[in-house]
Amino acid sequence: MREVKNFLYLINNSNFYSKSKFLEAISNTNYDLIFIDLYHNGVLFKKEEIDKLKQKKNGAKRLVVCYMNIGAAEKYRNYWKRDWTLGNPSWLKKKYDGYENEFWVEYWNKDWQKIIYGNDDSYAKKIIVAGFDGVYLDNIEAYYFLYND
């Protein structure tokens, strides 16, 4: 990390219709560090794809870090169940202002944690299998937004 001089934070890849165009666009950069989502339009990135992103256009190595929202649940994620609503499950606590498809969660709840880590179907395991160099944890301040008005 000490050698990182620049980075690209591109967690919304909706402007790229195809995964291959997204990967090509990033591959043609020389950023030292990139932050991307685990999915492109609902399709998981494969280890081979992430491995290719670890090389900059100039041939040097770069870090590839995955975005993971641990403080809010997002309706468009693969873990979302159709029957979930505010308060059901109990850890879906509050609408996330400004983001219509997100809800603040009690990230310390064991059921939410099972979705995020600790088993072969968890979000964290998928990140590991995809070969990312690390994880950026978003919304770790959820407690503040849930319990401070």
Side-chain angles (χ1 to χ4, degrees):
M1 289 296 288
R2 197 174 316 171
E3 297 172 16
V4 171
K5 304 289 186 236
N6 56 45
F7 67 91
L8 173 66
Y9 185 84
L10 185 58
I11 62 169
N12 180 345
N13 52 42
S14 62
N15 285 339
F16 295 89
Y17 176 74
S18 74
K19 190 199 281 190
S20 62
K21 291 290 184 192
F22 177 77
L23 293 168
E24 179 184 345
I26 292 177
S27 293
N28 285 323
T29 70
N30 287 313
Y31 290 105
D32 297 329
L33 168 65
I34 58 172
F35 295 91
I36 62 172
D37 198 83
L38 177 59
Y39 295 87
H40 178 273
N41 293 333
V43 179
L44 274 168
F45 283 107
K46 298 175 186 165
K47 183 172 181 0
E48 306 79 50
E49 294 167 328
I50 299 305
D51 286 346
K52 286 181 184 175
L53 290 180
K54 291 181 180 183
Q55 183 174 342
K56 299 187 231 179
K57 182 179 180 180
N58 66 13
K61 292 185 179 191
R62 81 165 117 222
L63 295 172
V64 182
V65 173
C66 188
Y67 171 87
M68 181 167 60
N69 195 344
I70 63 162
E74 301 157 313
K75 282 186 169 183
Y76 54 87
R77 297 291 181 186
N78 69 326
Y79 57 71
W80 188 268
K81 307 288 187 251
R82 288 179 164 233
D83 61 337
W84 287 1
T85 59
L86 190 60
N88 178 33
S90 64
W91 42 263
L92 276 175
K93 297 308 264 185
K94 185 177 180 182
K95 289 190 85 53
Y96 190 135
D97 289 339
Y99 296 89
E100 119 182 31
N101 291 314
E102 293 188 37
F103 297 86
W104 290 107
V105 300
E106 291 179 336
Y107 57 81
W108 51 92
N109 182 289
K110 295 292 183 200
D111 290 333
W112 173 248
Q113 289 176 358
K114 287 177 192 171
I115 292 169
I116 297 301
Y117 73 92
N119 63 75
D120 285 343
D121 194 41
S122 70
Y123 211 87
K125 180 67 174 194
K126 290 174 182 165
I127 291 169
I128 292 166
V129 169
F132 284 87
D133 294 310
V135 180
Y136 163 64
L137 303 177
D138 196 14
N139 289 314
I140 59 173
E141 74 282 12
Y143 185 88
Y144 175 83
F145 288 104
L146 287 173
Y147 300 110
N148 292 299
D149 289 329

